[in-house]
Amino acid sequence: KGGLIYLNGAARSPMMKHVLAVGTKALGRKLKPWTMKNEAENRTKELFAKLIDSKTSDIAITPCTSHAISLIAHNAMKTGKVSGVMDAVLVLQNQMSSNVLPWQHLCKSTGAELLVAPAPSKPGKSWTDSVLSLDWKKVKIVAMPPVLWTDGSVLDMEKIADEKCTKNNTWLVVDGTQALGAMPLSVSKLKIDFLCASVHKWLHGPYGACLLYANPKLVDKMVGFDHHERNRIGSEGDKDLPFLFGSSNAENGYEMRYRPGALRLQAGGRPNPVLLPMVAEGLAQVLEWGVERVASMLRIMTSKIQAGAAAMVIPSQVVALNRKHVDAVKGYLIPPQPSAPHIIGLRVPKSWNCKAIDCVEFLDEHKIMVSERLGVIRISPSVYNTDKEVESLLVHLRKFSLQHVGP
């Protein structure tokens, strides 16, 4: 709209019109509450299970990623998975805080170690190499994303699971928010124990929902944060639980036993009758597109951006205007490790008289929207972008580079 080029899908996705229409219709049902039904909860779980190669019973609905990860961390302590100084939780340097802060709290509470895989600094080394090179003797949980949120660097989750997690009985906890919907991910193939994803990015949903997968072999020993009747035996079909009192065969109060599966982890309250139809509609669209097809399409765009940015060399005659010497200067720096199909991170050379945020602000002035994340120009095209928009981005990246050769 108005010539704006939005290459910022990793921040949030523009809402699709038909998702908005579904939400508007669902909101309107509150005018006639007797017409409201709870069909969207099951549909949402079915679609998400299909997306990640799982079962509906393995899915729970939570309000956000930090809630889901905190829930897992809480149960890691409650079940004794992490209990003291002989245990460790492994995370990545600069990993998104939603999948770090809950583990920091767990380690502080138990005396366990927060083991950090450092960013790869040597040529030819990747994040996967950094993770595998650590001492895993104490590692009980590895919590990481398939894609680093700052620059799109990817990890070989299958290799990490096969070489370390399976052999050491280590929980693999994955924040898939920056991956699901834009690249294929199977919980069975990758042997993931817990996977969560907020839906407002690559799943093209609204704010306020995060979907959680829990390994059925582990979930029966876990408990939810809040205690409510909707996940208890006898509440099927939205039935009210009877208050038990004076019976010799039961405790006073309500039924305490959980219904089977990941439902026991689901947040309390009635499933949101406005958000969930929108979440389901977004998931249905992603599945209709086909994740592999989306990934292939976006890979073409990010590859073109990466090649174009890497090939930019500031001519010596331009450098001569600002420098005493006239050597040509290399252009943008690209990540040395493998990158995701939908996110590419660029860095400005130290020799330039500017920072990444300056480039982001320059692009914004020219109606091209990207993000700055920890000194990286993060570019994340999506299905609504075009080749012409990518070409315009490269033109403006070059304009910026020609204007910012430091003295």
Side-chain angles (χ1 to χ4, degrees), residues 106-230:
L106 172 65
C107 291
K108 186 175 182 179
S109 300
T110 62
E113 177 186 0
L114 187 72
L115 182 63
V116 179
S121 56
K122 296 181 180 179
K125 295 297 181 180
S126 67
W127 277 106
T128 303
D129 296 325
S130 181
V131 169
L132 294 178
S133 65
L134 295 174
D135 184 354
W136 279 61
K137 290 180 182 178
K138 295 168 57 177
V139 177
K140 297 298 178 67
I141 294 174
V142 54
M144 60 181 57
V147 177
L148 198 66
W149 68 295
T150 54
D151 64 4
S153 297
V154 296
L155 288 93
D156 189 337
M157 304 297 289
E158 188 172 7
K159 186 175 183 179
I160 292 170
D162 288 342
E163 294 188 13
K164 294 294 185 179
C165 296
T166 302
K167 293 179 180 178
N168 295 291
N169 191 29
T170 301
W171 285 4
L172 179 55
V173 181
V174 176
D175 173 8
T177 300
Q178 290 290 13
L180 288 175
M183 53 190 292
L185 195 153
S186 166
V187 294
S188 58
K189 180 180 179 181
L190 300 179
K191 303 179 181 67
I192 294 173
D193 293 299
F194 301 95
L195 168 71
C196 63
S198 292
V199 302
H200 64 275
K201 297 181 187 287
W202 303 100
L203 295 178
H204 300 276
Y207 292 107
C210 173
L211 303 175
L212 169 65
Y213 159 84
N215 184 339
K217 295 180 180 179
L218 300 174
V219 75
D220 287 346
K221 297 180 180 179
M222 305 178 78
V223 297
F225 264 147
D226 47 353
H227 300 286
H228 57 92
E229 69 173 4
R230 298 185 185 282

